[in-house]
Amino acid sequence: MKLVGSYTSPFVRKISVLLLEKGMAFDFVNDSPWNENSHVAQSNPLGKVPVLIADDGACWFDSPVIASFLELTQPVPASIPSDPYAALQVRQLEALADGVMDAAILSFREQQRPAAHQLESELVRQREKILRGLDALDEAAKNGAFNTQQLDVATIAVGCAMGYLNFRRIAPGWCVDRPHLVKLVEQLFQRDSFARTEPRVA
Ligand SMILES: N[C@@H](CCC(=O)N[C@@H](CS)C(=O)NCC(=O)O)C(=O)O
């Protein structure tokens, strides 16, 4: 099994953490879609990572689909509840954390443009999505939605979203007034799976 991605992508980290938590062996293929000579589009027409290439050659994307594929392949330890309604709730929180990642990536890319071309209105729009998303995640954490003993896909996605915000210094004051999220992230970052996948520029 091969995981295609970059060391900075929070979505790729999400799948790396999941594979490590499930104890599944994989080869990491470092390929950023932003590089001119990237081969990512050969395995995902959308030209995005992560892509998981299974042993039978099947290419799986995007990260929620890969998570479902891994759950089918290696159901223990479970990362998606078997009860359908509980699974929906977990997937909803995963979507929320994924949405924070999307907004953070868009913010980062906007900030990479020359200052004169940056759209302040776009930065504000994405920042508001991030802050509203974090408020909802803090509330979910307060209500005990996340389990730091046996990680589900939502909990993993939250850790990866927060790790990316820290890495790119997006919404740097996010921890103020979000004590439940801070506690959750502190616990997650102590795990081997998170320590081994800290974002870095290759
Ligand atoms: N919804 C996708 C998002 C993946 C995504 O946005 N990946 C970024 C890297 S962090 C990417 O490959 N971007 C390249 C592009 O947009 O062209 C998922 O969950 O896998």
Side-chain angles (χ1 to χ4, degrees), residues 6 8-12 14-15 31-34 40 44 46-51 61-66 94 98 101-102 105 109 164:
S6 66
T8 55
S9 164
F11 292 102
V12 173
K14 178 181 155 190
I15 299 304
D31 189 347
S32 168
W34 301 103
V40 170
N44 175 359
L46 301 175
K48 291 187 178 193
V49 289
V51 181
F61 58 90
D62 49 7
S63 65
V65 174
I66 298 172
E94 177 193 14
D98 283 2
M101 294 188 219
D102 280 326
I105 291 167
R109 297 219 69 86
Y164 187 75

Side-chain angles (χ1 to χ4, degrees), residues 21 54 58 71 88 92 95 102 111 117 122 147 167 190 194:
E21 290 288 342
E71 197 68 10
L88 262 189
Q92 175 84 96
D102 280 326
Q111 287 170 355
H117 295 281
E122 185 58 19
N147 179 348
F167 175 60
Q190 282 171 19
F194 274 90

Side-chain angles (χ1 to χ4, degrees), residues 1 16-26 74 76-77:
M1 184 146 46
S16 298
V17 169
L18 184 55
L19 285 160
L20 290 170
E21 290 288 342
K22 281 185 171 291
M24 298 173 81
F26 66 102
Q74 175 84 51
V76 179

